[in-house]
Every structure is written in C-alpha cells, then in structure tokens.
C-alpha cells in the first residue's frame, strides 16, 4: 500500500493528550529491567584491563598467569578479535577502540579482558596480566594537537579536504567547508565587526546507567545479546561484522535504558563480551564501572572556535565567518563538520563561510551528545551575536528577529528551508513575561537561539490486532524519551480506539525488520510515520473483513472512529461494526488482522529553539545561581505534550551543567583526574530552577501529523544563553565553557587589570 507522508490538517482525539506513561509503574517500583538487571544460568563475570597511559606502544601482553588462575574461563586480547573489517576504516576504528592492537591511545583504552566465575576472581586475573608498554608522548588539548610539533597519534593520518594532498601526516583528519557568497566583500560593507575566540571543554552525557550487557554464544554459532543501547539493530550489525558472524544468527534485545543522550549509539564493551562468551562457552555479563564509563566511553568534543561577524548600522548582518576545531579522540570523526553546518543555521545570510577541522587527541573516542557539535558552535556564534547587537545599540532579540532565517532562506550549510520556527520562537520570547521581569543586583539575563537538523531513516513497525480488540504495536526504535506512549497515541488516533487498548513494545532484532539507531531526534518522528502507515494497512484489512461479513463490496466500506461503516442508502440497515467485533470474527474471515510498515522516513524537518536565562553571580567568589529559565521551541505537533516538555527541560538542565560546571580534567600525565560524579559534577535538583516551557507548533509538511523531532534542539541554546546572562551580570564577555567560579574570577581580574 502506497503511503503518503504529507501533512494534512486535522482535529485530533488522542494525539495531543497527556495519558499516564505506560512504563511508569515498573520504573518507580523497580520492576523495569535495565542492562545490568538481566542474568543467564551459568553466566560468568567479565572484566576489562585498561591502559594506565595516554599513549603507549604495546610491546607484549602475557596472559599465562591469569589463564592458570582457578575460576578463570577465558582471557582475550586483540588476537582474539582479528581484523575482519575488510578495509572499512570506520569499522576498524571501532574494533581498535574495543580492544587496543598495536598502541594504547588514551587513558582507559582496553588492552585485555577476562571472564571468571565471580567478580573477585576476575579482578585477581586482571592483576596477573602483564603488559609491556613503551610510553609515548601524548597530547590532549585540541589546539596543541594541531601544532606541527605535536606528537602524532596516527602516523597514517593525512588531512582530507585540502586543495593539495599533504605530504606529511598530522593530527588533523579532515577539513570541511560550508557557506555561500563572498565574506570578504560582506565584511567590507559592515559598519561594525565583532571578532572573538572561544573554547569549550569536553563533557560527558552523564547518563546514570552504566554500559552493561549479557552475551551468550552457542556452539552452533548462534548468539544472544541483552544490552542497554539506543539502537540494537546497529549493535547487531557492528558486533556481527567484528566477530565474523552472520547477522541473522545474533539476536539483540534492548533493555530499558537509564539515559543515553547519544552516548549509547556506539559499541564499547559488547564485542568484548561476545568474544569472551565464544571462548568460554558460557554466557558473560559485563558491566562498566563509573570510572570506566568516564575513561573509556564516548564524551563530547573539546573545541576551539574563532568567530567573526559584521553588520550595518541598521542591524543587517553583512558577513559571518567561523573556524571550528573539534577533538574526536584518537579516531577520525565528523564532529567539526557538523558544527560548521549548524553554526549559522538560525540566520539569513548573504555571505557566510564556516571551516571545520577534525583533530585527533589522546582522549576517549568522541561520541554524540544530544545534537552533537551544535551547542559548542551556538555558544560561540550566539555570544558574538549578542556582543554585536550591543555594539550596534540594538536589543538582542530584535537584532536576531531582523536576521532570522525564514521559509525560502538558503541555509548556511546549503539547503533551502521550508516552513520553520525560528521566527515564531523569537517573537514568543520577545513577548514572554520572562523578558520583562526586573533584575536585581549582580544579576543578568541572556538569551540565545539554537538549531538541529533532525533525522528520519530506516524504520519498520508491526501492528497486530488481537481477537479481543486490543492492539500490540511492535517497534524497533528504542524508547529513550517516552516514544512508547507517543506511538500508542498515534496508533489509537489512526484506528479510532482508546489509548488504553494499545500496548507498544520494543521488539528484538529477530522479531522485526531493520531499524536505524534511535538518534537524531528520530524516534517518535520516524516510528510514528511507520505506525500511521501500519495502522492504515490494518484498516484496509479491517474494511475487507467487514465487507466480507456484510457481503458487500469493500469500496462501500469506510472506517470512522474505530468502526466500519457501510456507506450509501442501499446499506442503511447494516449499522456499524467495531474493531473488536471484526477482530472477534477474524478466525472465520481469513485469520489474524495486522498491519506492517517498512519505510525510510524522509523529511524530518529542521528544529529551532530560543531560550531565556536569568543568573546571579557572586562577584567575590564567582559562584553562580540560575534564577529563572525558559525554553521556547517548535515541536511541529506535540504528540504527548508532557513528554515534549520533559525533553525541553532535560536539554536545558544538561546545558546548565555543561555551561557552569562540567568538564573533563586531564593531568600532565594525560590521565583523567575526575572519572566520577563526585568530581565531575552534574546538576542536582537544588542547582536548578523550575524550567518553564512554551511549545510552538509549526507543522512539518513531511509528516501526516506535522511532527518534528524535539529531543536534541533543547540542548543547543543553553551554553550561549547562560554565557550571555553571566556576561551581562559581570560586565565581562565570557569565552570559555564551563564558566566555573575560578574562570569567572579570572575574567573579572583580567578586566580590572586591563
């Protein structure tokens, strides 16, 4: 059945309501099973030996003593994970990151692993493994890594994207460029130019649940993997390729997920657990410690960004330019490329140029964090925008409204926008009571805009109608933010039944067709599209069954509000058949009733948000307190408004921590100094105000209900909004994130000394 994804204005019955979340009771009572909650008979405990050096050649690994220890059932090194990537550089990097081969590339890099009968024995075994290292010079700072004198992390790295092919290797893996027009000419027309450099430190997603899995490989080559993940189909694909298995022989089941935010889109320990199980012949459970999560899973990039923006006296931006340097850990990435694409996406610009550099450093492999790369770029751009508005003498909101992108604008990264929400969010902020509230001594207000692409991707969904009229909805996108409730609302809306009649489950990889990773704010967008398609396919079957029961042509049957209705005066005596009545008779009319859908959900629709922040700064200590925070964002259509508000608030809360406290701190030895929540401080309730939200709904023309992804955009503006608030409070432009008390005091002292 052909599916038309175009938006059609309609009135909703279920969509837009706020039912109780279906997973709530299990989660608050402890019944929900997360990654570490699953066990198998006879399972072993897996542990990983990690490098204590930031950069070192592995001369030799001797595992003989560990193998002889009573209770040890398997010991593996890189030799047990041979290179089967067939020249695929990205997969080789994943393999090397899971288990170091020739060199340990960061503090915490896995070099060996054991499986033993209990944790105590596993820990003893790790101590018996002897590794002979040759310690090498290291570099952990993104700017230092770009210098010609910096230690080379990968001697085979030659910068891509340059006009001339380089003859010498470097730590810069790629140069990307975006834009249009002539920035040199544009700056020539500017009356005011602001030029500044900014830095952001590396941060972690801060999910509470550590990475955990249980792997079981049978003697016939089939395997099961229970894992906390944002994409079990992708995990199956990667693990199967790395271990030389057929994907169909590996069944992956996703557990409940205790936070991911992009950090659980990569395999880290799962191939290791499978390799241990294959060697031991028994199930292996591997759970990362918090120290390992920080040292050996993927944080964000650290960045160094130069911004230059010019404008005329009337407030029209004439040119904008950015150079962005993003660290990617010891492996190639695309993080600076994404930053370069998002940097000026909020604005209508005739002359714009962004250049991104991907930089290798001796830190863990960088992973996504909720709109990856965009928050850092927005921090730099929106800080400069605020400063430029002040130079011109314009209100910060009015300046942005004057230059905001709109439908038909050619974006700074290429595409032309359709209907978008940046203008409406700015107008809403302009008229919001928050912007008019008075401020006290040592207090400042800041605002900033943010953008994210959103993503759709490959999606598969099954909808099965039981003989009692209940509906089972099997989806392949992991529920990271309430999608099961939202998708149940969508199914109820299409079928015309009560929300309570629908039960959504996340199917394992052997029960459903392939689904892409739940990232890019795609979960509800793509799976709701597939759910609508599956429901409409099921309605087609329901109409056929009703026609059979009535013995009339199917074209004479329509579906309205959960019932089959015979149309036309000639069928006036037939009445209506409910979904339950048709389902009850299904055994006599052709068997089970179901709808299936597999599609590529294109046209995700870009997303924009504008945030307001009030902050108070103690000028004597540099301590900050967020007084008030407001999020205004376009959702397209809020399927479950409570979940949408939660996404807005969650992104803002994480952004507050990132802006004010959170950072990886490395010592001169290249080792992480704060691998735990005691010294890496994320916000707690007492650190945050009640975060106000305002949902705007500018329909996405490429979705039947107008839905846009909402999960990521809310983390883009906070760094800049808070930086602008702090700068306004202290009278000094803050250019380094996080704005910890020592950095604020240093900025004040530098201003006084200057």
């Amino acid at each position: 059945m052909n599916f038309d994804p175009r938006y059609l204005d309609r009135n909703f019955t279920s969509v837009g309501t706020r039912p109780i979340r279906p997973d709530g009771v299990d989660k608050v009572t402890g019944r929900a099973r997360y990654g570490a909650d699953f066990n198998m008979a006879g399972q072993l405990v897996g542990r990983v030996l990690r490098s204590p050096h930031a950069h070192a050649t592995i001369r030799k690994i001797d595992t003989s003593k560990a193998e002889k220890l009573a209770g040890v059932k398997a010991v593996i090194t890189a030799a047990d994970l041979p290179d089967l990537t067939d020249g695929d550089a990205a997969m080789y990097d994943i393999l090397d990151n899971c288990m170091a081969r020739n060199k340990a590339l960061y503090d915490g890099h896995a070099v060996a692993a054991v499986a033993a009968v209990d944790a105590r024995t596993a820990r003893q075994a790790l101590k018996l493994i002897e590794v002979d290292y040759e310690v090498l010079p290291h570099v952990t700072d993104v700017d230092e890594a770009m210098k010609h004198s910096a230690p080379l992390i990968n001697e085979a790295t030659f910068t891509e994207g340059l006009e001339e092919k380089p003859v010498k290797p470097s730590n810069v893996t790629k140069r990307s460029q975006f834009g249009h027009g002539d920035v040199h000419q544009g700056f020539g027309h500017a009356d005011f130019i602001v030029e500044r450099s900014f830095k952001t430190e590396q941060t972690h997603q801060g999910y509470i649940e550590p990475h955990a899995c249980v792997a079981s490989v049978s003697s016939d080559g089939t395997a099961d993997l229970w894992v906390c993940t944002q994409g079990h189909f992708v995990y199956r694909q990667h693990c199967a390729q790395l271990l030389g298995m057929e994907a169909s022989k590996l069944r992956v089941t996703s557990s409940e997920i205790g936070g991911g935010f992009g950090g659980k889109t990569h395999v880290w320990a799962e191939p290791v657990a499978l390799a241990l199980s294959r060697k031991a012949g028994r199930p292996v459970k591997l759970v990362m410690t918090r120290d390992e999560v920080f040292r050996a899973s993927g944080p964000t990039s650290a960045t160094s960004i130069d911004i230059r923006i010019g404008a005329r006296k009337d407030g029209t931006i004439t040119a904008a330019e950015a150079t962005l340097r993003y660290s990617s850990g010891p492996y190639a990435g695309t993080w600076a490329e994404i930053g370069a694409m998002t940097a000026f996406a909020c604005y209508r610009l005739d002359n714009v140029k962004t250049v991104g550099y991907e930089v290798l450093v001796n830190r863990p492999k960088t992973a996504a964090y909720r709109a990856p790369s965009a928050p850092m770029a927005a921090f730099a751009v929106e800080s400069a925008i605020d400063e430029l508005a002040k130079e011109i003498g314009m209100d910060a909101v009015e300046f942005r409204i004057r230059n905001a992108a709109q439908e038909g604008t050619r974006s700074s990264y290429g595409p032309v926008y359709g209907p978008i929400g940046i203008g409406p969010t700015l107008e809403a902020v302009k008229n919001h009571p928050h912007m008019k509230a008075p401020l006290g001594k040592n207090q400042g207000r800041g605002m900033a805009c943010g953008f994210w692409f959103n993503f759709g991707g490959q999606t598969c969904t099954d909808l099965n109608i039981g003989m009692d009229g209940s509906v089972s909805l099997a989806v392949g996108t992991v529920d990271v933010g309430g999608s099961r409730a939202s998708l149940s609302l969508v199914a109820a809306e299409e079928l015309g039944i009560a929300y309570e009649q629908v039960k959504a489950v996340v199917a394992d990889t052997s029960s459903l067709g392939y689904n892409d990773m739940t990232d890019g704010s795609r979960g509800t967008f793509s799976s709701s599209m597939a759910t609508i398609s599956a429901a409409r396919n099921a309605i087609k079957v329901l109409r056929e069954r009703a026609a059979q029961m009535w013995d009339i042509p199917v074209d004479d049957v329509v579906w309205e509000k959960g019932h089959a209705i015979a149309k036309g005066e000639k069928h006036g005596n037939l009445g209506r058949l409910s979904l339950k009545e048709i389902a009850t008779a299904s055994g006599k009319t052709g068997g089970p009733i179901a709808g299936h859908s597999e599609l590529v959900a294109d046209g995700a629709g870009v997303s924009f948000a504008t945030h307001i922040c009030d902050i108070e700064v103690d000028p004597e200590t540099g301590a900050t307190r967020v007084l008030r925070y407001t999020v205004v964002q376009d959702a397209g259509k809020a399927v479950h408004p409570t979940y949408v508000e939660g996404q807005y608030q969650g992104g803002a809360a994480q952004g507050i921590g990132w802006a004010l406290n959170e950072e990886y701190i490395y010592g001169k030895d290249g080792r992480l100094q704060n691998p735990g929540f005691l010294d890496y401080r994320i916000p707690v309730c007492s650190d945050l105000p009640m975060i106000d939200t305002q949902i705007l709904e500018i329909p996405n023309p490429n979705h039947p209900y107008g839905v846009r992804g909402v999960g990521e955009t809310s983390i883009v503006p906070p760094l800049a909004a808070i930086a602008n608030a702090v700068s306004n409070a202290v009278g000094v432009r803050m250019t380094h994130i996080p704005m910890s008390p020592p950095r604020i005091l240093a900025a004040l002292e530098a201003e006084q000394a200057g």
Side-chain angles (χ1 to χ4, degrees):
M1 181 178 178
N2 292 328
F3 176 66
D4 185 356
R6 289 176 297 179
Y7 171 69
L8 182 65
D9 192 18
R10 59 183 288 177
N11 294 319
F12 294 100
T13 302
S14 296
V15 166
T17 61
R18 301 172 183 258
I20 295 173
R21 58 189 299 164
D23 55 339
V25 173
D26 282 354
K27 286 182 174 177
V28 299
T29 58
R31 291 180 60 192
R33 292 202 300 176
Y34 292 86
D37 293 330
F38 186 74
N39 297 287
M40 296 183 74
Q43 75 182 19
L44 303 171
V45 176
R47 288 288 186 271
V48 178
L49 181 67
R50 301 188 179 278
S51 168
H53 306 294
H55 196 196
T57 299
I58 301 171
R59 289 172 171 164
K60 182 182 178 182
I61 302 178
D62 185 351
T63 62
S64 57
K65 293 180 182 177
E67 290 166 349
K68 294 173 183 176
L69 181 66
V72 172
K73 303 300 180 182
V75 181
I76 67 168
T77 64
D80 298 280
L81 283 166
D83 180 11
L84 304 175
T85 59
D86 194 26
D88 185 330
M91 287 304 299
Y92 181 83
D93 286 350
I94 294 172
L95 175 67
D96 188 70
N97 188 53
C98 288
M99 189 66 69
R101 315 190 84 68
N102 302 314
K103 291 202 301 183
L105 297 172
Y106 56 91
D107 167 40
H109 199 169
V111 296
V114 303
V117 293
D118 55 38
R120 183 171 178 271
T121 304
R123 287 194 296 269
Q124 284 182 309
L126 292 184
K127 294 177 182 178
L128 294 175
I129 298 174
E130 298 175 359
V131 185
D132 181 12
Y133 294 103
E134 178 188 352
V135 179
L136 302 172
H138 64 271
V139 60
T140 58
D141 179 78
V142 64
D143 287 322
E144 291 296 320
M146 289 190 71
K147 294 179 179 178
H148 294 299
S149 59
L152 278 178
I153 294 170
N154 185 340
E155 293 80 2
T157 295
F158 292 83
T159 308
E160 297 178 12
L162 299 178
E163 291 184 4
E164 295 184 10
K165 187 176 180 179
V167 295
K168 292 184 178 180
S170 78
N171 290 325
V172 179
T173 63
K174 185 179 180 181
R175 178 190 184 275
S176 304
Q177 182 174 321
F178 299 90
H180 54 258
D182 186 330
V183 291
H184 179 74
Q185 187 179 64
F187 283 117
H189 295 152
D191 297 310
F192 298 91
I193 295 176
V194 165
E195 188 169 359
R196 275 200 184 272
S197 296
F198 300 86
K199 282 186 78 79
T200 69
E201 298 299 331
Q202 193 167 48
T203 55
H204 197 271
Q205 299 86 352
Y207 39 81
I208 302 302
E209 179 198 26
H211 297 270
C213 66
V214 178
S216 179
V217 181
S218 300
S219 56
D220 63 359
T222 60
D224 280 279
L225 179 67
W226 165 278
V227 61
C228 56
T229 172
Q230 290 179 238
H232 46 315
F233 289 89
V234 175
Y235 273 39
R236 177 186 67 173
Q237 184 177 324
H238 286 178
C239 288
Q241 185 174 348
L242 294 180
L243 275 82
M245 302 172 62
E246 292 180 19
S248 62
K249 291 186 176 181
L250 174 59
R251 180 177 64 177
V252 182
T253 303
S254 63
S255 68
E256 292 286 354
I257 185 167
F261 315 111
K264 292 176 181 172
T265 58
H266 300 247
V267 294
W268 308 103
E270 296 77 16
V272 174
L274 284 163
L276 284 169
S277 176
R278 181 167 62 183
K279 192 167 186 177
R282 288 169 61 175
V284 173
K285 184 173 186 176
L286 203 163
V287 181
M288 278 190 174
T289 64
R290 185 65 61 189
D291 178 276
E292 289 179 300
V293 169
F294 274 96
R295 292 172 60 217
S297 68
T300 65
S301 299
T303 73
S304 171
I305 302 172
D306 303 325
I307 299 292
R308 191 175 187 227
I309 308 176
R312 290 197 292 263
K313 294 176 182 178
D314 65 358
T316 303
I317 296 176
T318 61
E321 189 172 16
T323 302
L324 308 98
R325 298 165 291 273
Y326 280 59
S327 67
S328 61
Y331 306 103
T334 58
W335 310 110
E337 182 176 359
I338 298 171
M341 293 173 74
T342 63
F344 294 108
C346 291
Y347 299 104
R348 184 180 67 255
L349 303 170
D350 292 331
N351 305 292
V352 58
K353 177 183 176 182
T354 59
V355 177
Y357 294 95
E358 316 289 347
V359 186
L360 301 182
V361 293
N362 293 117
R363 295 190 182 208
K365 176 181 170 66
T366 296
Y369 181 11
R370 207 170 188 162
S373 303
M376 305 84 128
F379 159 61
V381 169
E382 292 292 304
S383 294
I385 287 281
D386 232 49
E387 193 169 3
L388 185 55
K390 192 170 292 186
E391 288 279 333
I392 296 170
M394 284 187 71
D395 174 77
V397 180
E398 291 289 355
F399 182 57
R400 288 174 171 86
I401 290 173
R402 183 175 187 86
N403 294 284
Q406 54 194 254
E407 185 173 359
T409 294
R410 182 183 178 188
S411 68
S412 57
Y413 62 97
V416 175
Y417 290 135
I420 56 174
I422 180 63
T425 65
L426 283 164
E427 292 290 347
V429 162
K430 176 183 175 181
N431 298 315
H432 199 284
H434 186 167
M435 289 299 289
K436 301 174 178 64
L439 290 169
K441 186 180 179 181
N442 298 323
Q443 296 177 359
R445 175 169 298 138
M447 54 81 57
C449 301
F451 159 89
W452 186 241
F453 309 97
N454 290 334
F455 171 63
Q458 301 177 79
T459 312
C460 183
T461 297
D462 272 337
L463 186 149
N464 293 280
I465 300 174
M467 294 183 69
D468 60 355
S470 62
V471 175
S472 175
L473 182 65
V475 301
T477 45
V478 175
D479 185 354
V480 297
S483 60
R484 279 172 293 189
S486 298
L487 297 175
S488 295
L489 284 170
V490 169
E493 187 72 49
E494 279 296 314
L495 295 171
I497 60 177
Y499 164 81
E500 291 75 18
Q501 289 178 246
V502 184
K503 171 71 172 178
V505 297
V506 179
D508 66 56
T509 58
S510 295
S511 304
L512 199 63
Y514 180 83
N515 281 259
D516 277 328
M517 183 71 65
T518 305
D519 60 5
S521 298
R522 70 175 294 267
T524 297
F525 167 78
S526 61
S527 279
S528 66
M529 192 180 288
T531 298
I532 293 168
S533 175
R536 291 178 181 177
N537 289 338
I539 288 170
K540 182 174 181 282
V541 178
L542 288 164
R543 289 175 52 237
E544 291 170 350
R545 300 298 178 85
Q548 185 178 339
M549 293 169 71
W550 282 327
D551 194 21
I552 64 173
V554 68
D555 289 342
D556 290 351
V557 180
V558 296
W559 190 262
E560 292 180 3
K561 298 180 179 179
H563 292 79
I565 300 172
K567 64 180 181 180
E569 294 182 3
K570 59 183 177 180
H571 303 312
N573 62 335
L574 289 180
R576 305 189 307 170
L577 285 173
S578 68
L579 180 146
K580 183 177 181 180
E581 289 170 325
I582 299 170
T584 300
S586 61
K588 300 176 182 178
T589 60
I593 299 173
H596 181 77
S597 175
E598 60 280 316
L599 51 78
V600 177
D602 291 325
V606 296
S607 176
F608 293 90
T610 303
H611 292 198
I612 318 167
C613 174
D614 290 356
I615 203 158
E616 184 173 86
V617 182
D618 185 331
E620 294 184 0
T621 65
T624 55
R625 183 165 66 97
V626 180
L627 304 172
R628 187 174 180 179
Y629 203 100
T630 301
V631 176
V632 181
Q633 185 174 323
D634 170 25
K637 176 61 186 177
V639 178
H640 192 305
T642 301
Y643 277 116
V644 172
E645 290 164 353
Q647 291 294 316
Y648 291 2
Q649 292 165 333
Q654 288 179 311
I656 289 169
W658 192 343
L660 297 176
N661 297 307
E662 299 179 38
E663 66 176 308
Y664 271 37
I665 299 172
Y666 278 86
K668 292 181 179 180
D669 58 358
R671 302 200 68 186
L672 184 61
Q673 303 296 299
N674 58 333
F677 284 140
L678 180 63
D679 296 312
Y680 181 96
R681 190 175 182 280
I682 62 174
V684 296
C685 290
S686 57
D687 296 315
L688 301 172
M690 195 65 192
I691 297 170
D692 191 17
T693 61
Q694 184 175 344
I695 299 173
L696 303 186
E697 295 185 327
I698 293 88
N700 175 9
N702 303 308
H703 187 283
Y705 294 178
V707 170
R708 299 178 192 267
V710 301
E712 293 176 282
T713 313
S714 53
I715 203 172
V716 181
L719 275 63
I722 296 165
N724 288 335
V726 171
S727 299
N728 290 333
V730 300
V732 178
R733 173 53 54 186
M734 300 301 299
T735 61
H736 197 162
I737 293 290
M739 294 170 288
S740 57
R743 285 206 180 102
I744 291 175
L745 288 178
L748 287 171
E749 289 169 4
E751 179 74 10
Q752 291 166 2

